[in-house]
């Protein structure tokens, strides 16, 4: 059996005396999409830091398969506003050669922005540029911290569709943190519900019926999400417009 791209075994994380994460056990292989949901302060970003190796577990183990190429889309990125920087140059700073940059921008639907200033992009365009930057080295593990924040519903759907098609193309494992329960629950990915520990996990339909999920998000929301079913028979372009 192939070794997972990343695996956690009873992993925990403490900041000083505060236990932020405990007893996390799960693994991801190529092609897996796992979406992490949980309330503010649940430890979602901390989990990402463990997986990326930015934080070491205070207990248990976190293992990344040796030599794994990782792509990362951060939650936010502040760029020096006075620094003149085109999109192409921004990706060049991440170590991409011109043909890889062109291909990555084309793949995320923003090839036309290569010579634009990074300071002039809309929220949705900037997220796609960050995604292009993350796939420059054809990652085997793609980690995204709330990639759709600030986007409207169509923009969110479009971005998640793009992420899914990148997974198909690169055959990478994808771990995404999301706050948008409606978009998450409309997908068929594995959802991991986090609140310091893993409260429940599974397909959206399964977890929406889980008492731990109801306890965390409240009965009203859980019921709404349980009946919410999204039949997606179209796609969205970079502006969130519907395309067949
Ligand atoms: N470097 C740190 N030192 C001390 N405490 C920290 C540190 N980073 C995070 N925390 C605390 O750990 C807890 C989890 O934080 P984390 O950012 O992982 O949560 P989150 O689920 O990503 O939250 P949000 O949804 O608000 O982004 C919070 O209580 C936070 O205050």
């Amino acid at each position: 059996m192939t070794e997972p791209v990343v695996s956690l075994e009873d992993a925990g994380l403490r900041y000083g005396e505060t236990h932020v994460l405990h007893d996390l056990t799960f693994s991801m292989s190529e092609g897996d999409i796992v979406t992490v949901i949980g309330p503010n302060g649940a430890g979602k970003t901390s989990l990402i830091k463990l997986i990326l190796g930015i934080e070491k577990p205070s207990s248990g183990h976190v293992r990344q398969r040796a030599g794994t190429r990782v792509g990362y889309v951060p939650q936010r990125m502040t760029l020096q506003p006075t620094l003149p920087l085109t999109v192409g140059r921004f990706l060049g700073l991440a170590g991409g050669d011109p043909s890889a940059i062109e291909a990555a921008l084309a793949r995320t639907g923003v090839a036309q922005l290569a010579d634009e200033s990074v300071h002039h992009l809309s929220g949705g365009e900037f997220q796609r540029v960050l995604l292009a930057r993350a796939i420059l080295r054809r990652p085997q593990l793609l980690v995204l911290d709330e990639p759709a924040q600030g986007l409207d519903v169509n923009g969110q759907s479009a971005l998640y569709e793009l992420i899914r098609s990148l997974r198909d193309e690169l055959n990478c494992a994808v771990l995404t943190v999301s706050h948008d329960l409606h978009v998450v629950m409309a997908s068929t990915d594995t959802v991991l519900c986090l609140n310091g520990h893993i409260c429940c996990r599974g397909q959206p339909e399964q977890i929406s019926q889980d008492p731990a999920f109801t306890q965390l998000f409240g009965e009203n929301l859980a019921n709404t999400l349980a009946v919410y079913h999204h039949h997606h028979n179209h796609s969205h372009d970079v502006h969130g417009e519907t395309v067949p």
Side-chain angles (χ1 to χ4, degrees):
M1 211 175 83
T2 325
E3 189 189 340
V5 178
V6 66
S7 61
L8 288 81
E9 199 185 312
D10 296 326
L13 179 65
R14 225 177 37 214
Y15 293 120
E17 291 305 301
T18 315
H19 285 259
V20 174
L21 294 170
H22 56 94
D23 302 317
L24 304 186
T25 298
F26 72 97
S27 62
M28 294 182 67
S29 298
E30 275 96 347
D32 289 346
I33 298 190
V34 172
T35 308
V36 181
I37 58 172
N40 290 124
K44 302 180 294 296
T45 300
S46 301
L47 170 61
I48 284 184
K49 288 181 180 168
L50 274 183
I51 286 175
L52 295 177
I54 295 169
E55 295 284 356
K56 298 278 165 247
S58 322
S59 53
H61 303 279
V62 177
R63 290 193 188 85
Q64 223 181 63
R65 192 167 67 204
T68 300
R69 294 187 302 276
V70 182
Y72 172 51
V73 176
Q75 189 173 24
R76 60 180 74 84
M77 178 175 278
T78 316
L79 294 168
Q80 174 58 253
T82 53
L83 187 72
L85 190 62
T86 64
V87 166
R89 178 93 184 94
F90 175 57
L91 266 63
L93 292 175
D97 64 64
S99 64
I101 291 172
E102 202 181 318
L105 289 173
R107 191 62 197 80
T108 59
V110 285
Q112 76 284 6
L113 299 178
D115 298 322
E116 280 292 321
S117 162
V118 289
H119 306 298
H120 297 159
L121 306 179
S122 73
E125 289 168 344
F126 190 61
Q127 290 306 93
R128 282 175 184 248
V129 168
L130 286 180
L131 193 52
R133 178 173 168 268
I135 61 166
L136 270 179
R137 278 192 225 91
R138 300 187 69 82
Q140 292 142 322
L141 173 63
L142 184 58
V143 179
L144 308 101
D145 197 351
E146 293 184 42
Q149 61 180 315
L151 305 187
D152 63 22
V153 174
N154 283 346
Q156 290 179 2
S157 298
L159 194 71
Y160 283 114
E161 274 171 37
L162 174 60
I163 292 167
R164 198 161 286 119
S165 75
L166 288 173
R167 182 280 307 267
D168 294 344
E169 185 181 316
L170 301 169
N171 193 31
C172 53
V174 180
L175 182 111
T176 309
V177 163
S178 176
H179 261 302
D180 197 288
L181 292 179
H182 283 92
V183 176
V184 172
M185 299 307 273
S187 76
T188 52
D189 310 338
T190 298
V191 178
L192 198 149
C193 188
L194 189 74
N195 193 17
H197 65 290
I198 298 174
C199 300
C200 52
R201 77 177 102 179
Q203 300 274 298
E205 277 177 29
Q206 274 171 288
I207 72 151
S208 62
Q209 325 231 333
D210 195 304
F213 181 83
T214 314
Q215 202 179 1
L216 204 55
F217 293 107
E219 201 151 330
N220 282 346
L221 184 58
N223 285 339
T224 314
L225 293 169
V227 296
Y228 181 86
H229 203 76
H230 194 92
H231 293 287
H232 223 132
N233 60 359
H234 59 267
S235 299
H236 301 272
D237 66 13
V238 63
H239 305 297
E241 298 297 328
T242 302
V243 291

